[in-house]
Amino acid sequence: MQWYFVASLLTVLTSSQGILTTLSQSNGGYKYDYATVPFLAEVFKLLVSTVLLWRELQRLPSPRMTTEWKSIRLYPIPSIIYLIHNNVQFATLTYVDTSTYQIMGNLKIVTTAILFRLFLRRKLSNLQWMAIVLLAVGTTTSQVKGCGEVSCDSLFSSPIQGYMLGILSACLSALAGVYTEFLMKKNNDSLYWQNVQLYTFGSIFNMARLLVDDFRGEFERGPWWQRLFYGYSITTWLVVLNLGSTGLLVSWLMKYADNIVKVYSTSMAMLLTMVLSVFLFNFKPTVQLFLGIIICMMSLHMYFAPPNVLVDLPLTVKTSLDSAIEVSADQKTES
């Protein structure tokens, strides 16, 4: 399976996530407990990965599975980072408005690239760095509203704590993604075995969150397992399946591609969601949206296109490259 097919599918599923979540609302609210959705998505991913691992074990040779505790103990860390990240997100929203929060969220594009370079030692060319900055600029441009609106004035009027928490949130999001890629690539273990470990701990942490919510609410609505499926509709189940399938695709990209591909997929999904909202929810397109799409497409081309497509090489360099290719082809023929 080619990475660009998986990335495209991830873009489509991610863009439909917000749309399905909106459609699952009733009278502007949720009849179901939204905290149960991530838990059921983790269980879905765990079940799918377990079945795929079982099928893989029926074949020869058997897949590689590291069962040492010193390896397994690393897999709860992404769940812990995401748990901290979720709390930081809520804290950030107490200081800044939603528009400012969404715009600041684009910082994770740049922080992911920085941690990608520092921790995974992956070198990026100057053109690729420029493309990543352009991607952040493009997604931000698409989200900025007209300067005649009040929200535009509030963009730089939030307390300093809000901006600091926003930066911390971007760093935590990037750290979780980069660390997950490190886990998936640190050995040649089966992807499904690695998923089973990730999603087992993910299910446990999400269950713990539901239990903590019960204690905070003093079990006013009863224990979480009694309301697990309460208020669920077909659309709600589609949200669960969508979220679970998105997670499985992300783990595949972490194993066989990298974080930057995931960043581009999710960024393009955000733009696709805005475009689809024009037709589904009478969302009014803005000049900023069209400019953002153009900038992001330029960024996509700059990052993934070969350098010789982006830069006009001198004729002498082109000739030497062609000669080198011909020599290489002749050597392969002779051998």
Side-chain angles (χ1 to χ4, degrees):
M1 190 183 298
Q2 298 294 331
W3 66 263
Y4 47 81
F5 172 78
V6 177
S8 301
L9 186 57
L10 176 61
T11 298
V12 173
L13 288 180
T14 304
S15 66
S16 61
Q17 182 68 38
I19 295 172
L20 287 173
T21 303
T22 302
L23 294 175
S24 70
Q25 294 179 354
S26 178
N27 297 323
Y30 300 106
K31 286 186 176 180
Y32 58 94
D33 184 355
Y34 190 75
T36 60
V37 171
F39 170 71
L40 290 175
E42 290 294 318
V43 173
F44 169 75
K45 290 185 285 186
L46 178 59
L47 291 175
V48 171
S49 299
T50 302
V51 171
L52 293 175
L53 178 62
W54 177 79
R55 289 185 59 185
E56 198 173 44
L57 288 171
Q58 308 305 309
R59 305 171 186 169
L60 291 175
S62 297
R64 176 175 172 174
M65 297 169 55
T66 303
T67 56
E68 298 176 359
W69 171 244
K70 66 179 182 180
S71 175
I72 295 176
R73 69 185 180 184
L74 300 176
Y75 283 85
I77 295 178
S79 297
I80 295 173
I81 297 174
Y82 279 121
L83 182 64
I84 298 172
H85 173 249
N86 290 337
N87 288 312
V88 171
Q89 280 183 313
F90 282 111
T92 305
L93 285 168
T94 62
Y95 292 100
V96 303
D97 57 50
T98 306
S99 299
T100 304
Y101 174 77
Q102 289 178 338
I103 291 172
M104 290 178 61
N106 295 319
L107 284 173
K108 67 184 178 183
I109 296 173
V110 179
T111 54
T112 298
I114 293 172
L115 296 182
F116 183 75
R117 175 69 182 92
L118 292 177
F119 292 151
L120 299 181
R121 304 294 182 184
R122 298 288 295 276
K123 188 175 181 180
L124 299 174
S125 68
N126 292 335
L127 280 174
Q128 288 176 323
W129 278 111
M130 290 172 61
I132 289 169
V133 172
L134 267 182
L135 180 64
V137 171
T139 52
T140 302
T141 301
S142 67
Q143 294 171 332
V144 173
K145 297 181 180 179
C147 288
E149 300 183 24
V150 178
S151 59
C152 187
D153 298 330
S154 65
L155 182 59
F156 300 106
S157 60
S158 302
I160 187 65
Q161 296 95 321
Y163 299 115
M164 296 302 294
L165 287 171
I167 295 172
L168 178 60
S169 176
C171 291
L172 287 172
S173 176
L175 179 62
V178 169
Y179 185 82
T180 302
E181 182 178 346
F182 162 75
L183 278 182
M184 305 302 279
K185 292 179 177 175
K186 72 184 181 70
N187 54 37
N188 293 322
D189 278 6
S190 164
L191 169 63
Y192 307 126
W193 167 238
Q194 292 176 317
N195 281 348
V196 165
Q197 297 173 84
L198 275 176
Y199 302 141
T200 296
F201 289 111
S203 300
I204 292 172
F205 277 99
N206 276 276
M207 188 192 308
R209 179 198 168 185
L210 290 171
L211 193 58
V212 169
D213 288 344
D214 284 344
F215 277 103
R216 286 178 177 174
E218 298 180 349
F219 291 90
E220 182 180 352
R221 295 180 296 169
W224 63 269
W225 55 86
Q226 290 184 359
R227 63 177 189 277
L228 187 59
F229 305 116
Y230 177 79
Y232 269 57
S233 63
I234 295 177
T235 309
T236 312
W237 282 111
L238 288 176
V239 173
V240 173
L241 294 176
N242 184 292
L243 188 60
S245 301
T246 299
L248 292 171
L249 291 176
V250 168
S251 70
W252 192 96
L253 287 178
M254 294 295 100
K255 182 76 171 179
Y256 300 111
D258 56 48
N259 263 281
I260 306 298
V261 174
K262 186 200 80 169
V263 164
Y264 269 94
S265 295
T266 52
S267 298
M268 295 301 167
M270 181 193 66
L271 296 175
L272 180 59
T273 301
M274 291 182 178
V275 173
L276 292 176
S277 297
V278 173
F279 302 99
L280 296 176
F281 305 116
N282 295 321
F283 173 77
K284 294 182 179 179
T286 62
V287 175
Q288 292 91 326
L289 174 59
F290 289 114
L291 289 175
I293 291 174
I294 293 172
I295 294 172
C296 288
M297 289 302 172
M298 290 172 59
S299 168
L300 183 68
H301 181 66
M302 281 181 64
Y303 189 90
F304 292 103
N308 61 320
V309 175
L310 300 172
V311 181
D312 288 331
L313 298 175
L315 184 61
T316 54
V317 177
K318 287 184 179 180
T319 304
S320 61
L321 284 175
D322 293 339
S323 301
I325 293 172
E326 291 177 2
V327 170
S328 177
D330 292 340
Q331 290 176 347
K332 288 182 180 179
T333 304
E334 292 175 359
S335 60

